[in-house]
């Protein structure tokens, strides 16, 4: 039951002719939707959307709150007193990384990994959610963020996914949620975890070489 509460979001300020299918189109990219409960019988329409994974619900709140849909600025938040990192109604997110009372947070989800790539060449309208969506082709993304200089950071759950991203997503066409496109560069970021991976290749390169001896023995002629 508590899992369902953390996975459920509220969506308000919807157009009067909104349909459940429209809501699915708005939110499907964030993860698997369990159900959509659209309330449009009387008064302004609003809806509750439940995801299978609470982290997908959190992504949807970050990316779609304030999103302009058909001239309506959507209000997307966790229902009062629910949402990740929230205890009861009185918790206003005073801790580092905690949410505001509406469920909004100033940045992306804070799950981190050492399997990190640096992305450059992002368009000015590219968001961290756009970047996360693009990099999901390589595997499970646990963290993504973008910066004003057109760079970004993406972290994967697995080393194999990170290396796949470097090989296959470097110099690929990136598209922002506003339709702006650019070709991005993807490079591995050698952080603390890289030291664990490097010793074995370095050792194999130090194989004994007998070239100095050969050059000596040839001095007869």
């Amino acid at each position: 039951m508590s899992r369902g509460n953390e996975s459920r979001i509220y969506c308000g300020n919807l157009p009067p002719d909104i349909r459940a299918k429209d809501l699915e189109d708005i939110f499907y990219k964030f993860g698997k939707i369990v159900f959509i409960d659209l309330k449009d019988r009387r008064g302004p329409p609003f809806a509750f959307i439940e995801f299978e994974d609470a982290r997908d619900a959190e992504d949807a709140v970050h990316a779609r709150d304030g999103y302009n849909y058909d001239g309506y600025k959507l209000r997307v938040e966790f229902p009062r007193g629910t949402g990740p990192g929230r205890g009861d109604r009185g918790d206003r997110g005073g801790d580092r990384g905690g949410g505001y009372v509406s469920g909004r947070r100033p940045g992306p989800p804070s799950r981190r990994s050492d399997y990190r790539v640096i992305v450059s060449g992002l368009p000015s309208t590219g968001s961290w959610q756009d970047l996360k969506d693009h990099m999901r082709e390589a595997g499970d993304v646990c963290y993504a963020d973008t910066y004003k200089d057109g760079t970004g950071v993406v972290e994967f759950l697995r080393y194999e996914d990170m290396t796949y991203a470097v090989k296959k997503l470097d110099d690929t066409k990136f598209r922002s949620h506003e339709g702006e496109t650019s070709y991005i560069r993807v490079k591995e970021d050698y952080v603390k975890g890289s030291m664990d991976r490097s010793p074995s290749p370095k050792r194999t390169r130090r194989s004994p070489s007998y070239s100095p001896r050969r050059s000596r023995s040839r001095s007869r002629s």
Side-chain angles (χ1 to χ4, degrees):
M1 189 79 155
S2 62
R3 187 190 72 82
N5 288 338
E6 289 179 359
S7 304
R8 184 178 302 175
I9 61 174
Y10 164 87
C11 184
N13 200 31
L14 296 165
D17 58 349
I18 192 81
R19 297 180 182 188
K21 181 69 174 71
D22 300 326
L23 289 165
E24 186 180 358
D25 290 342
I26 295 169
F27 290 102
Y28 81 93
K29 66 189 288 185
F30 302 105
K32 186 175 179 183
I33 296 172
V34 178
F35 74 86
I36 296 172
D37 184 14
L38 176 61
K39 311 285 189 185
D40 58 352
R41 297 281 178 189
R42 26 171 211 259
F46 64 94
F48 292 100
I49 298 111
E50 184 169 331
F51 291 88
E52 190 172 70
D53 192 323
R55 286 170 299 175
D56 295 334
E58 193 174 359
D59 288 351
V61 169
H62 294 320
R64 287 294 184 248
D65 186 40
Y67 177 73
N68 191 316
Y69 179 77
D70 204 19
Y72 288 78
K73 197 172 181 181
L74 302 186
R75 183 180 165 200
V76 181
E77 59 190 28
F78 287 102
R80 233 177 253 281
T82 66
R86 210 161 333 332
D88 57 18
R89 183 186 282 257
D91 181 5
R92 290 186 173 256
D95 292 340
R96 197 174 135 231
Y100 296 126
V101 68
S102 66
R104 303 182 191 95
R105 278 173 29 179
S110 56
R111 194 175 175 195
R112 305 304 297 266
S113 156
D114 286 340
Y115 306 132
R116 180 182 309 161
V117 296
I118 301 296
V119 181
S120 58
L122 293 165
S124 58
T125 56
S127 69
W128 67 265
Q129 182 62 54
D130 296 329
L131 181 58
K132 183 176 180 181
D133 291 339
H134 186 83
M135 303 303 281
R136 269 177 173 159
E137 186 183 325
D140 291 326
V141 175
C142 61
Y143 179 88
D145 204 0
T146 55
Y147 307 102
K148 289 181 180 176
D149 62 354
T151 62
V153 172
V154 179
E155 294 174 9
F156 294 90
L157 289 177
R158 289 184 294 272
Y159 174 69
E160 295 77 17
D161 295 344
M162 178 196 70
T163 56
Y164 184 91
V166 172
K167 288 177 186 173
K168 300 294 184 182
L169 297 181
D170 183 39
D171 202 23
T172 54
K173 191 174 185 179
F174 175 93
R175 184 184 180 90
S176 78
H177 62 284
E178 292 191 15
E180 195 176 359
T181 60
S182 67
Y183 283 85
I184 59 172
R185 302 310 308 259
V186 180
K187 292 189 211 171
E188 181 177 354
D189 183 27
Y190 291 94
V191 288
K192 43 186 177 176
S194 62
M195 286 170 40
D196 310 322
R197 295 179 231 134
S198 47
S200 54
K202 281 187 178 169
R203 273 185 143 171
T204 55
R205 298 192 64 165
R206 297 194 161 225
S207 55
S209 169
Y210 35 83
S211 57
R213 280 186 188 162
R214 284 182 73 185
S215 61
R216 241 184 203 178
S217 63
R218 293 202 157 222
S219 59
R220 233 163 33 107
S221 59

